[in-house]
Amino acid sequence: MERTQGLYLTVEGRNNGITIKSPVELRVMREAGRVTAAAREAVVRAVQPGMKTKELDAIAAREIRQLGGKPSFKGYRGFPATICVSINQEIVHGIPGDRVIKEGDVVSIDVGAIVGGFHGDSAVTVIVGRASKEAEKLVEATRLSLELGIRQALAGNRVGDISTVVQQFAEAQGYGVVREYVGHGIGRALHEDPAVPNVGEGGKGPLLRVGMAIAIEPMLNMGTWETRVLDDDWTVVTADGSLSAHFEHTVAITERGPWVLTALEGE
Ligand code: MG
Ligand code: MG
């Protein structure tokens, strides 16, 4: 049974099977990732208190267009914008609009771009202005959990080897790891198999093979892992109202190890 919710596969979601990309296709995916990263960083540079979230969306849209890409999310299952902007207790899928960003907000930006028929997908969380120590720790832990997950993106490993390092690292610090929304295979479709959960057991799940590309995207909550969806049918928030952070990279499995396709130039 297929069950999808918004821009993310749910744990049960299945899309398009696992696809293996040729070296040439992975180079095209790197171009999509480069454009995705440039749009992500343009938004990160611009964000400041007093801005409306729709202004951030316009910045990302312009950057993607100028670099010859197309937004991945706009129109996807009816999503109305180029990026998702999810603030504080919002986890993912916040819709840009007239909301004004305030000092101390924890702002997650999720962006995707298509180049040459392939998608890039990446997210980052930033704190605007001064933040509480707790918020800083949450954001840094989420970033590090993604780093740890990426290091497990090795041919011969299984998806569960990624899931388990993310879960163990996050839970050791008392954070809730979101379960209903997961990472995913990515290629000519934004969402392909396999699902890449952020909780799981090492040695379990689909085998990682050279030529696969996956989006790894831990979502960590200050409180419990439970979520709910707001009345706009998109915005996912923490059920207990606690802060949440989200980081994501698109990563290729290669003979030489993980290739972060959505890294900035020179990274
Ligand atoms: Mg994303
Ligand atoms: Mg994704």
Side-chain angles (χ1 to χ4, degrees):
M1 183 185 78
E2 176 161 328
R3 185 167 78 92
T4 57
Q5 198 161 14
L7 296 169
Y8 292 74
L9 290 177
T10 60
V11 176
E12 297 84 5
R14 291 290 180 273
N15 259 4
N16 306 306
I18 289 174
T19 62
I20 299 295
K21 287 80 174 175
S22 70
V24 170
E25 287 174 324
L26 284 184
R27 284 202 288 275
V28 178
M29 285 196 74
R30 171 59 179 143
E31 292 311 311
R34 223 189 284 277
V35 172
T36 303
R40 182 191 69 220
E41 293 311 306
V43 173
V44 168
R45 280 196 305 273
V47 64
Q48 56 177 313
M51 284 184 87
K52 289 181 176 173
T53 53
K54 70 183 181 189
E55 296 177 72
L56 299 179
D57 194 73
I59 288 165
R62 189 184 324 126
E63 189 76 16
I64 290 170
R65 193 171 53 241
Q66 279 177 356
L67 295 173
K70 280 188 286 191
S72 293
F73 302 165
K74 196 159 195 173
Y76 186 84
R77 296 182 182 144
F79 191 76
T82 294
I83 61 174
C84 304
V85 184
S86 307
I87 301 175
N88 297 335
Q89 79 280 10
E90 297 173 355
I91 302 168
V92 286
H93 301 171
I95 301 172
D98 288 320
R99 181 165 177 183
V100 175
I101 291 166
K102 299 193 306 292
E103 177 88 17
D105 275 347
V106 177
V107 180
S108 300
I109 309 290
D110 195 345
V111 56
I114 311 170
V115 173
F118 286 92
H119 292 267
D121 190 5
S122 182
V124 65
T125 299
V126 294
I127 299 170
V128 180
R130 292 174 66 83
S132 68
K133 269 275 167 291
E134 293 75 28
E136 275 177 14
K137 276 180 65 182
L138 172 72
V139 170
E140 182 61 6
T142 311
R143 191 186 67 76
L144 282 170
S145 72
L146 172 58
E147 285 300 315
L148 293 172
I150 289 170
R151 285 183 212 163
Q152 297 300 318
L154 302 168
N157 269 3
R158 292 184 179 271
V159 168
D161 294 311
I162 296 172
S163 311
T164 195
V165 296
V166 171
Q167 180 180 13
Q168 286 183 20
F169 179 76
E171 290 184 350
Q173 297 169 78
Y175 297 126
V177 184
V178 171
R179 290 153 196 243
E180 289 111 322
Y181 303 87
V182 299
H184 49 91
I186 179 168
R188 289 187 187 278
L190 179 59
H191 294 133
E192 301 182 349
D193 285 327
V196 183
N198 296 302
V199 298
E201 268 182 72
K204 298 276 173 68
L207 187 65
L208 298 176
R209 295 161 56 202
V210 169
M212 286 171 67
I214 53 175
I216 305 174
E217 48 180 315
M219 291 152 253
L220 268 52
N221 301 342
M222 198 91 90
T224 69
W225 57 265
E226 282 103 340
T227 68
R228 67 187 178 89
V229 180
L230 297 185
D231 288 341
D232 65 12
D233 285 336
W234 278 106
T235 313
V236 181
V237 299
T238 55
D240 60 9
S242 66
L243 285 181
S244 187
H246 176 211
F247 280 78
E248 175 179 27
H249 270 307
T250 297
V251 181
I253 315 297
T254 79
E255 279 158 5
R256 293 174 303 285
W259 184 13
V260 181
L261 299 171
T262 45
L264 273 183
E265 206 80 53
E267 264 181 356

